Amino acid sequence: MNRLTGKFNSLHELIKEIKNMPQYKAQITHWHTIPAKEARCAEFPEQIQNELKQVFLDRGISSLYTHQAESFQEINKGNHVVTVTPTASGKTLCYNLPVLQRLLEDNSARALYMFPTKALAQDQVAEVNELINLLEVDIKAYTYDGDTAPTARQAIRNAGHIVVTNPDMLHSAILPHHTKWVKLFENLQFIVIDELHTYRGVFGSHVANVLRRLKRICNFYGSNPQFICTSATIANPKEHAERLLEQKVYLIDKNGAPAGEKHVVFYNPPIVNQQLGIRRSSVLESQKLASLLLKNGIQTIVFARSRVRVEILLTYLQEQTKNEFGTKSIRGYRGGYLPKQRREIERGLRNGEIRGVVSTNALELGIDIGQLQACVMNGYPGSIASTWQQSGRAGRRQESSLTFMVASSNPLDQYIIQNPQFFFEATPEEARIEADNLLILIDHIKCAAYELPFEKGEKFGGETLLEVLEFLTEEKVLHQVQDRWYWMEQSFPAHNISLRSAAQENFIIIDMTEGSRVIGEVDRFSAPTLIHEEAIYIHEGIQFQVEKLDFEEKKAFVRKVDVDYFTDANLAVQLKVLQVDKQTETNSHEIQYGEVTVNAKATFFKKIKYKTHENIGSGPIHLPEEELHTSSYWFSFAENILENRSKNDLQFALLGLSNVLVHIAPLYLMCDPMDIRVVPQVKAIHTKLPTIFFYDRYPGGVGLSERLYEVHHALLEQAKELIQGCTCLSGCPACVGPIEEVGLTGKEFALELLGVLINENNNELIH
Amino acid sequence: MSQLKNRLNRLKKTQASIDNKVISSHLKGGEWGEVGAVTKTNAYGSFVKREIRIPLQEKIGFYPLYQLVGSAQALSHLQSIKSNVLHDKMLFFDTETTGLGIGAGNVPFMLGIGYYTDDAFIVEQLFIRNPSEELAMLAYINEKFQHFTHLVSYNGKTFDLPLLKNRFIIHRLTYEGEHLEHIDLLYPARSLWRNSLTTCKLSHVERKRLGIHRVDDVPGSMAPTLYFKYLIEKDPNIVADVFRHNKVDIVTLAILSIYFVSLFEKRDVYSNLELDELYRLCVWFNNMELTDLFQYVYELLTTRVIEEDPNYFIPLAMIFKKKKDVETSVSLWKKFIELQGHQRIINTEPYIELAKYYEHRKKDFKQAIYYTKEAELRVYNRISLSKRNQKYTEILQEIQKRKNRLEKKIKSRVNEVDQNSVVELRQVEMNV
């Protein structure tokens, strides 16, 4: 360390020293070092065209990484392939190489690249064009998205060898107008799907249906393209790919790329109140670590779980480092920023002008921001897969990298931090989709019928096609003539169907401080809790207060304010069972899975003071109720399950157990914690018994509850382990919840309840 | 079944509600004969066809149909058509479809065509009783295409034809109309009536300019609804109005062609035109390089402009400037200023143009500065009347720059002794 400035000379030195610095030492609960990894290389495959090989030789690249070579070979054999690769492992060559090879052999061939976002697509087209320029051949690669100039579109449709697009564009522009794309579809040989793991949950279920439509159109034009996919590390890449593509897929998961030494540090904020089990805020601790890194000149990325946290952290960090840098050097990044702004930030990160960035998981994807040196995660990102993706943003090839995972007091974070072996040894989560979700399926059957009439015997999704076609015929959307069903409606179905969110519309946020200016947007589900009237909405570190929310017109009018609090809204939920699809029984309780209706209404909000996070006021929210039909999993037990305990005690036990379960559920699901919700009921309408419900927060459900139904017993075990492992006396936010919520006995009763439920399980297993 | 059905019905509530208006009807099932149509069958299946013969003597609105006989060639000027246009080689074409846009799911359920024979104008309407008959209908029209050289439509270039081609692709049938040159009458209609008609919809054009008045016409936008109703009830009377509407569209295409042809031939019709139409026509003939017609219309126009609206002198002057006939332009600008009187003029263009002319062509800086100052005054008047805005400030800056430069030139001309100043002057000019 430089004694005059108190600064470290390098990241390497900081890594060595920080372990011994008293202000950090006690909080570091686990230090995991992953040694540097040598590259594993393979010769260029024999079949590869000389001119293509020469391009790499000219750039001093004389071999491929093993996974790149394997991918090339398998694609040559005609297999559909999914390659699992971490960040910065040269994954683009896994598809660019075989695609360019084919295009050099056959100039009439075509390839379609699909990326989850426009930004990624633009990145990738630049990269592949660089290769094409070096090859000096007539191969054309274009992006085709909402930004493409109308005048350029026709040329792209007819002459683009590689068309780079996103699933939304495929869904609403390319497939419904397939007759304009005859050249592409007749000659389509490859479909490249990057970031396959992002196509999960609702979005993935939609995309699976878009792919069904795509294959249907290809089939019509007589092509049978090969799929080349890449994915981040998930538990089930092969299965996930096969579910999305509905084809056999060859898995390549031995990554040959080198990596620098990597330090992953688990950091648990200090306990400030033993009695209440309250830890110091993870936001403040993350900010402390990030500003240490930044002040030492280490380019750092900070990940936060929500948009609001991003903005809070950004404000703190800009304030903390204002002597070192201007505010332009530390930036925020999240959905809701406008595209131009985002491109500028990405550029700044690549060229080093921006030293620090605070982001939501928006930067988890492969957007090119170069490699940073350190990463601070404010809170466990919710899944093992995400954690590695985020951590992968730090790590230059020849250098060590450092990642801090700063646990929040939520039970999932505390479970992970207390069980590092779970994190480092367990397989990451599964990506799940529910392509046959009835609502999603119907939407896409409509789109597909618009594109081409359905014929008897055709397959589309599950076994229900015929029934859906008959239903749509009755609804006078389709018209049946003998064995064919024709689209017979005036509308253009793809326009009313959005792939991205259950909420089909966004609310826009208008700043009225000077004139009126749109500053961002919020999805429909989040609107009642984020932009209700009087809410503090933070954008780019600036506070705005919502003055008026026009719910009908989907507009929120905000004005700049300067206050020392933020707002947090409460959502009241009612739930009714419609139908039971699966059930199992144990001696002590009954486990069921089926369909439910949920009515949710935002009721009131709290004002929470910065820094101390104390509650300084509240107010009502007057917004309409939302109704949702979805799938749910629940379990119920006899009222007297806890002998000698009152109804009131049972209520605390239920609440405590729900709090734990909903937080650890993401251990088994690859989903946002907001995608799965929990409702405890002391006397459920359906069973008349104490019941805990979990439901998918998407109309029709996307398979999350179903998965939880399958892992029910393991889930209970994990909950017990977590509560027992927690150091608090009688409940804290890190396990069953704070005592203000679950009472002084919540922890004890929840454990007691678990005891009964689990013992019974064991009995059941023994018999 | 019933379980899925229940779920489907339950989910329907969450779903965007499907527009499902039940159309009530008291009509009983009828026969195709009632709408004058017959069933037509070919190798690909059947469809319904209605054929109407209209004697060429018949007058539709202001014009009898025979007027196109032998005179269609003039239409070639409208869209730089290369091949000879013969009235009996033209296929008039219009579709009725199930939706908007040209996506793969929009189906033309009726194809209307019209053409001339020796003694009659024939309208053929091809109609499909359900989507499975489309292939037979497409095969039929494909064969028809072979007898013609030109396709005449209204907005067919961006709508009807691409849509029809989609259908050929979807039915894997080769479109055999590539040899047809396309005359889309919407484009000349828009350029001619841009300012004189509130809309260039065919029904509006025919009423205002062709003397055709439809009685009880169903608007084209109703066609899909009626067709869907027909699909359910199978009563031909439901679509009778669509047949009628489409027939009028086809006939109007022929009459509109006659009207356009008359503009090239019958000079007496010009007197009936509105001033703006006459001006547009003048622009047409100029662009088409039809010198005689241009000269004729131009002379007619100048008389009327003087009487009705001198503002037309400004764009006319620009036409001559582009034709490198600056002297005529100058006379028009001056005429304009003379007729209007300075005070009533808003547009600075004639002043600036005159200033340029005197500065660069005539080297008469005094005249040039006179017009520049007048221009400046006009802008000052403008600014005082309206809120100060960017546009006027910019114009003013330009004018003042010009004024300063001219003042400098005048000064240096006063001291004009040596050659250098002339050179300098030239340089200044080049920077203009």
Side-chain angles (χ1 to χ4, degrees):
Chain A
M1 198 197 296
N2 184 325
R3 291 195 178 276
L4 284 173
T5 59
K7 286 190 178 169
F8 296 102
N9 295 319
S10 68
L11 177 61
H12 189 69
E13 193 181 292
L14 185 142
I15 289 173
K16 266 190 359 210
E17 298 289 328
I18 198 168
K19 293 179 194 174
N20 304 318
M21 292 165 74
Q23 64 269 49
Y24 301 109
K25 195 177 161 188
Q27 274 67 255
I28 295 173
T29 60
H30 187 79
W31 190 294
H32 189 83
T33 306
I34 301 166
K37 203 178 113 204
E38 292 283 318
R40 284 187 300 127
C41 297
E43 294 285 297
F44 279 99
E46 266 174 40
Q47 309 92 315
I48 206 163
Q49 298 262 339
N50 270 333
E51 47 198 312
L52 190 53
K53 186 171 163 184
Q54 198 58 44
V55 167
F56 292 95
L57 295 178
D58 289 349
R59 288 204 288 183
I61 300 166
S62 56
S63 59
L64 294 173
Y65 295 137
T66 48
H67 61 286
Q68 292 166 339
E70 195 185 356
S71 167
F72 187 90
Q73 301 285 17
E74 290 304 324
I75 287 156
N76 242 354
K77 286 186 207 159
N79 287 324
H80 303 293
V81 166
V82 59
T83 309
V84 178
T85 55
T87 334
S89 57
K91 68 170 175 184
T92 52
L93 279 189
C94 294
Y95 47 81
N96 281 337
L97 219 49
V99 168
L100 289 175
Q101 166 91 2
R102 184 69 55 86
L103 290 174
L104 288 172
E105 288 163 2
D106 173 7
N107 197 262
S108 72
R110 295 287 185 268
L112 184 73
Y113 284 24
M114 186 171 91
F115 293 89
T117 68
K118 273 196 275 193
L120 279 170
Q122 280 160 14
D123 255 20
Q124 289 303 317
V125 127
E127 192 171 328
V128 75
N129 272 328
E130 213 178 293
L131 262 174
I132 291 169
N133 285 340
L134 293 169
L135 275 168
E136 295 173 2
V137 286
D138 182 31
I139 293 175
K140 295 187 182 73
Y142 300 107
T143 49
Y144 191 85
D145 56 35
D147 298 344
T148 309
T151 44
R153 291 186 176 205
Q154 193 172 352
I156 299 172
R157 290 197 286 254
N158 294 327
H161 293 93
I162 301 176
V163 176
V164 184
T165 189
N166 53 58
D168 314 80
M169 203 64 187
L170 204 53
H171 156 69
S172 67
I174 297 177
L175 292 175
H177 293 108
H178 60 86
T179 50
K180 290 183 187 167
W181 293 86
V182 177
K183 264 251 163 58
L184 176 82
F185 287 120
E186 283 184 344
N187 300 292
L188 191 59
Q189 302 209 7
F190 293 112
I191 297 173
V192 171
I193 305 180
D194 198 6
E195 311 270 2
L196 191 80
H197 63 282
T198 57
Y199 303 121
R200 58 175 194 264
V202 177
F203 183 41
S205 308
H206 273 295
V207 171
N209 279 287
V210 171
L211 292 175
R212 284 170 174 169
R213 285 160 55 197
L214 174 61
K215 283 190 289 187
R216 196 166 169 259
I217 298 296
C218 287
N219 182 43
F220 176 75
Y221 288 102
S223 62
N224 185 17
Q226 237 175 305
F227 285 92
I228 311 175
C229 312
T230 65
S231 166
T233 312
I234 50 175
N236 59 341
K238 183 174 151 73
E239 182 206 40
H240 182 55
E242 289 182 345
R243 275 200 195 168
L244 263 171
L245 309 179
E246 299 181 325
Q247 313 250 28
K248 278 259 159 257
V249 175
Y250 184 91
L251 172 70
I252 295 169
D253 57 359
K254 290 184 193 67
N255 172 32
E261 189 181 46
K262 193 172 185 69
H263 298 268
V264 182
V265 181
F266 278 15
Y267 187 99
N268 209 0
I271 293 185
V272 291
N273 184 327
Q274 186 71 37
Q275 176 73 28
L276 299 178
I278 293 173
R279 289 179 184 273
R280 206 167 115 91
S281 153
S282 65
V283 176
L284 299 178
E285 290 297 297
S286 301
Q287 167 242 308
K288 188 168 111 185
L289 289 167
S291 59
L292 172 79
L293 291 163
L294 288 167
K295 283 180 177 171
N296 280 286
I298 294 162
Q299 205 187 12
T300 302
I301 183 162
V302 181
F303 283 103
R305 298 287 328 254
S306 68
R307 295 171 176 206
V308 178
R309 285 225 192 141
V310 163
E311 296 297 347
I312 294 172
L313 265 166
L314 181 64
T315 317
Y316 287 174
L317 278 176
Q318 285 179 342
E319 172 70 24
Q320 283 273 322
T321 56
K322 68 179 173 204
N323 295 331
E324 276 85 359
F325 318 106
T327 50
K328 287 270 169 213
S329 301
I330 303 192
R331 305 292 290 271
Y333 190 103
R334 62 174 174 83
Y337 282 16
L338 299 171
K340 216 178 114 194
Q341 209 173 352
R342 293 213 227 176
R343 300 297 94 76
E344 181 219 321
I345 297 169
E346 290 156 18
R347 241 190 341 269
L349 283 165
R350 280 197 296 270
N351 64 27
E353 274 166 26
I354 295 178
R355 302 305 302 161
V357 63
V358 187
S359 173
T360 56
N361 59 5
L363 273 183
E364 204 177 296
L365 295 180
I367 294 162
D368 184 11
I369 54 167
Q371 286 301 111
L372 286 76
Q373 293 169 283
C375 167
V376 176
M377 289 175 232
N378 172 223
Y380 176 61
S383 77
I384 296 174
S386 285
T387 310
W388 287 118
Q389 282 285 106
Q390 294 188 357
S391 166
R393 280 303 189 181
R396 296 174 178 165
R397 280 198 186 148
Q398 310 301 331
E399 268 181 53
S400 303
S401 69
L402 178 60
T403 297
F404 284 106
M405 202 280 278
V406 181
S408 76
S409 53
N410 106 32
L412 179 59
D413 286 33
Q414 288 303 316
Y415 181 83
I416 293 285
I417 207 147
Q418 285 160 28
N419 300 281
Q421 77 288 353
F422 178 90
F423 179 80
F424 289 104
E425 286 161 24
T427 51
E429 301 75 6
E430 292 188 357
R432 309 220 4 137
I433 54 167
E434 185 54 58
D436 289 335
N437 168 301
L438 206 47
L439 264 186
I440 296 176
L441 184 67
I442 289 177
D443 276 350
H444 289 277
I445 286 176
K446 283 191 200 168
C447 294
Y450 182 89
E451 286 148 16
L452 281 179
F454 272 102
E455 281 177 41
K456 196 167 192 173
E458 224 181 301
K459 287 241 178 315
F460 196 94
E463 299 304 309
T464 51
L465 178 63
L466 192 62
E467 285 175 82
V468 174
L469 291 175
E470 280 166 2
F471 171 77
L472 291 174
T473 307
E474 268 174 49
E475 291 289 310
K476 302 188 181 65
V477 173
L478 300 186
H479 182 74
Q480 184 188 359
V481 186
Q482 285 142 7
D483 291 344
R484 279 189 177 208
W485 285 264
Y486 298 85
W487 176 257
M488 273 300 137
E489 243 255 312
Q490 287 191 60
S491 65
F492 183 82
H495 274 174
N496 304 320
I497 299 161
S498 158
L499 310 183
R500 294 287 174 169
S501 155
Q504 309 217 336
E505 322 93 344
N506 279 346
F507 280 65
I508 56 165
I509 296 158
I510 302 165
D511 175 18
M512 306 293 289
T513 316
E514 295 155 30
S516 61
R517 189 171 64 98
V518 175
I519 54 168
E521 55 187 13
V522 159
D523 72 277
R524 192 184 150 167
F525 271 152
S526 311
T529 49
L530 275 187
I531 49 169
H532 55 83
E533 285 174 10
E534 284 189 71
I536 300 295
Y537 176 80
I538 313 182
H539 186 86
E540 279 236 81
I542 297 163
Q543 296 173 317
F544 295 89
Q545 183 165 43
V546 179
E547 295 199 333
K548 185 172 162 46
L549 175 63
D550 188 338
F551 203 78
E552 299 260 291
E553 292 288 317
K554 301 186 176 51
K555 286 176 191 162
F557 298 92
V558 303
R559 195 177 296 276
K560 268 184 205 165
V561 288
D562 186 10
V563 293
D564 62 348
Y565 67 90
F566 56 94
T567 51
D568 181 25
N570 182 57
L571 199 67
V573 176
Q574 278 187 330
L575 188 143
K576 260 199 325 264
V577 174
L578 297 171
Q579 175 183 317
V580 180
D581 292 334
K582 296 181 188 177
Q583 53 185 329
T584 41
E585 235 173 285
T586 72
N587 288 334
S588 63
H589 63 292
E590 187 172 30
I591 312 148
Q592 291 178 311
Y593 166 79
E595 273 184 47
V596 297
T597 324
V598 182
N599 293 292
K601 188 172 174 1
T603 49
F604 69 96
F605 66 95
K606 292 181 277 193
K607 295 177 180 170
I608 297 166
K609 197 169 155 75
Y610 272 114
K611 309 244 161 73
T612 64
H613 291 192
E614 65 191 299
N615 190 342
I616 54 168
S618 63
I621 302 175
H622 300 290
L623 286 174
E625 187 179 81
E626 294 262 358
E627 191 177 89
L628 176 71
H629 294 272
T630 184
S631 54
S632 170
Y633 130 77
W634 63 93
F635 58 95
S636 43
F637 32 80
E639 225 172 309
N640 57 359
I641 190 167
L642 296 180
E643 285 164 39
N644 310 321
R645 298 283 182 219
S646 71
K647 206 171 165 182
N648 214 20
D649 295 342
L650 183 65
Q651 189 164 359
F652 285 132
L654 272 180
L655 194 58
L657 182 56
S658 314
N659 282 346
V660 177
L661 287 174
V662 75
H663 279 109
I664 59 172
L667 288 175
Y668 295 95
L669 308 167
M670 193 163 173
C671 71
D672 192 284
M674 294 299 279
D675 291 346
I676 188 97
R677 319 285 13 233
V678 69
V679 180
Q681 291 184 346
V682 178
K683 189 169 184 173
I685 304 167
H686 176 62
T687 53
K688 311 270 187 294
L689 296 172
T691 305
I692 293 177
F693 291 91
F694 288 84
Y695 66 89
D696 293 19
R697 207 185 63 171
Y698 180 78
V702 283
L704 302 176
S705 304
E706 195 175 2
R707 171 83 182 138
L708 290 179
Y709 173 81
E710 288 162 13
V711 299
H712 169 77
H713 299 304
L715 197 63
L716 292 185
E717 290 285 357
Q718 222 113 30
K720 188 175 168 190
E721 216 175 291
L722 176 90
I723 302 175
Q724 278 172 342
C726 189
T727 54
C728 69
L729 292 175
S730 50
C732 73
C735 58
V736 294
I739 51 174
E740 295 93 327
E741 198 182 326
V742 298
L744 278 167
T745 49
K747 184 174 180 178
E748 184 191 337
F749 294 164
L751 263 181
E752 204 176 313
L753 180 58
L754 274 171
V756 183
L757 296 175
I758 291 171
N759 279 335
E760 289 298 336
N761 291 337
N762 293 344
N763 290 346
E764 182 200 35
L765 287 174
I766 293 159
H767 292 315
Chain B
M1 168 72 195
S2 68
Q3 208 184 26
L4 180 81
K5 194 81 190 286
N6 285 338
R7 295 183 60 205
L8 284 166
N9 283 322
R10 211 156 54 221
L11 289 168
K12 222 161 83 182
K13 279 191 279 175
T14 341
Q15 224 173 337
S17 74
I18 297 157
D19 188 26
N20 186 22
K21 275 175 246 147
V22 180
I23 309 149
S24 69
S25 168
H26 47 83
L27 286 171
K28 291 279 177 300
E31 289 306 313
W32 283 107
E34 285 175 40
V35 287
V38 293
T39 311
K40 186 96 186 158
T41 304
N42 61 23
Y44 296 90
S46 317
F47 59 95
V48 163
K49 194 183 101 171
R50 181 168 92 141
E51 190 172 313
I52 303 154
R53 295 174 68 82
I54 308 171
L56 295 185
Q57 295 74 17
E58 195 157 313
K59 203 172 166 193
I60 315 283
F62 301 141
Y63 303 91
L65 276 161
Y66 65 74
Q67 269 201 24
L68 197 64
V69 176
S71 68
Q73 182 57 34
L75 293 170
S76 67
H77 297 298
L78 291 178
Q79 273 164 0
S80 42
I81 297 293
K82 288 170 208 79
S83 54
N84 279 342
V85 188
L86 297 170
H87 70 279
D88 56 357
K89 290 289 174 193
M90 294 162 72
L91 188 65
F92 300 90
F93 171 66
D94 187 42
T95 65
E96 305 300 328
T97 65
T98 59
L100 301 169
I102 48 170
N106 190 9
V107 182
F109 63 85
M110 182 185 289
L111 302 179
I113 51 176
Y115 51 89
Y116 278 88
T117 62
D118 287 346
D119 55 355
F121 183 76
I122 312 286
V123 176
E124 283 189 34
Q125 294 175 297
L126 322 177
F127 176 86
I128 53 175
R129 286 165 297 184
N130 66 59
S132 73
E133 295 191 333
E134 194 183 6
L135 181 61
M137 175 173 78
L138 293 177
Y140 180 85
I141 202 171
N142 229 1
E143 200 278 321
K144 275 280 166 199
F145 286 152
Q146 306 320 309
H147 306 292
F148 301 94
T149 55
H150 291 82
L151 201 61
V152 184
S153 72
Y154 203 74
N155 197 25
K157 273 197 175 160
T158 52
F159 183 69
D160 303 71
L161 194 60
L163 189 76
L164 187 71
K165 287 184 180 176
N166 279 352
R167 306 317 299 171
F168 277 90
I169 292 169
I170 285 170
H171 287 280
R172 321 240 76 183
L173 203 63
T174 311
Y175 168 70
E176 283 167 14
E178 293 296 357
H179 64 282
L180 297 166
E181 272 196 281
H182 196 157
I183 306 173
D184 188 335
L185 299 177
L186 176 65
Y187 299 89
R190 273 206 191 129
S191 89
L192 186 62
W193 291 309
R194 191 187 313 177
N195 296 327
S196 43
L197 291 182
T198 45
T199 156
C200 281
K201 274 169 62 179
L202 193 57
S203 55
H204 190 71
V205 167
E206 66 184 18
R207 190 165 68 244
K208 292 289 185 189
R209 293 292 180 267
L210 309 178
I212 300 174
H213 295 272
R214 302 193 192 205
V215 186
D216 293 336
D217 185 47
V218 291
S221 56
M222 273 292 287
T225 316
L226 290 170
Y227 185 62
F228 297 145
K229 186 177 168 191
Y230 162 77
L231 282 180
I232 296 158
E233 298 177 22
K234 296 286 173 202
D235 177 358
N237 287 309
I238 297 169
V239 284
D241 286 345
V242 182
F243 273 93
R244 199 144 50 108
H245 168 87
N246 178 260
K247 180 209 141 193
V248 179
D249 277 355
I250 298 287
V251 175
T252 294
L253 284 178
I255 303 300
L256 185 56
S257 303
I258 291 171
Y259 178 85
F260 282 139
V261 166
S262 76
L263 294 176
F264 292 88
E265 289 179 344
K266 307 255 167 13
R267 298 186 178 188
D268 53 320
V269 304
Y270 300 157
S271 53
N272 298 327
L273 297 182
E274 284 183 18
L275 183 59
D276 194 73
E277 283 171 284
L278 198 62
Y279 164 69
R280 297 283 159 196
L281 200 60
C282 185
V283 175
W284 272 21
F285 293 150
N286 180 49
N287 293 343
M288 294 169 188
E289 293 173 15
L290 299 172
T291 325
D292 288 355
L293 281 169
F294 171 75
Q295 205 52 43
Y296 184 87
V297 172
Y298 170 66
E299 276 158 29
L300 212 61
L301 190 60
T302 21
T303 348
R304 282 187 59 185
V305 164
I306 292 170
E307 290 163 11
E308 297 175 37
D309 186 354
N311 278 307
Y312 280 95
F313 278 130
I314 300 174
L316 279 174
M318 287 314 278
I319 291 177
F320 285 99
K321 193 185 169 193
K322 279 200 194 108
K323 286 160 80 94
K324 309 245 183 277
D325 182 356
V326 187
E327 294 308 321
T328 308
S329 303
V330 168
S331 70
L332 291 176
W333 285 316
K334 287 188 171 169
K335 190 94 187 156
F336 167 76
I337 294 171
E338 179 201 319
L339 285 168
Q340 287 293 76
H342 293 305
Q343 291 315 312
R344 286 163 59 198
I345 295 174
I346 293 164
N347 194 339
T348 56
E349 189 182 304
Y351 294 101
I352 303 284
E353 290 294 338
L354 285 168
K356 280 189 203 162
Y357 169 77
Y358 282 109
E359 180 182 355
H360 304 304
R361 297 235 171 200
K362 294 282 168 189
K363 311 284 175 224
D364 182 344
F365 302 144
K366 289 222 169 94
Q367 275 294 318
I369 210 159
Y370 164 75
Y371 283 112
T372 309
K373 283 179 174 167
E374 285 297 334
E376 194 182 9
L377 276 172
R378 299 292 86 75
V379 181
Y380 275 134
N381 286 344
R382 229 29 237 162
I383 291 179
S384 63
L385 287 174
S386 67
K387 273 191 187 166
R388 198 174 252 278
N389 73 26
Q390 190 65 22
K391 195 177 120 204
Y392 289 118
T393 346
E394 270 169 27
I395 293 176
L396 195 61
Q397 278 169 359
E398 280 297 307
I399 291 172
Q400 283 163 346
K401 227 165 86 188
R402 180 178 300 276
K403 200 174 75 179
N404 293 339
R405 186 179 65 226
L406 283 164
E407 274 165 356
K408 230 164 107 192
K409 281 187 181 180
I410 290 168
K411 239 187 239 163
S412 63
R413 180 163 287 181
V414 175
N415 312 334
E416 188 181 304
V417 199
D418 60 34
Q419 200 63 23
N420 286 343
S421 65
V422 176
V423 174
E424 203 175 272
L425 225 161
R426 289 257 158 76
Q427 279 167 349
V428 175
E429 277 169 21
M430 301 202 31
N431 292 334
V432 171

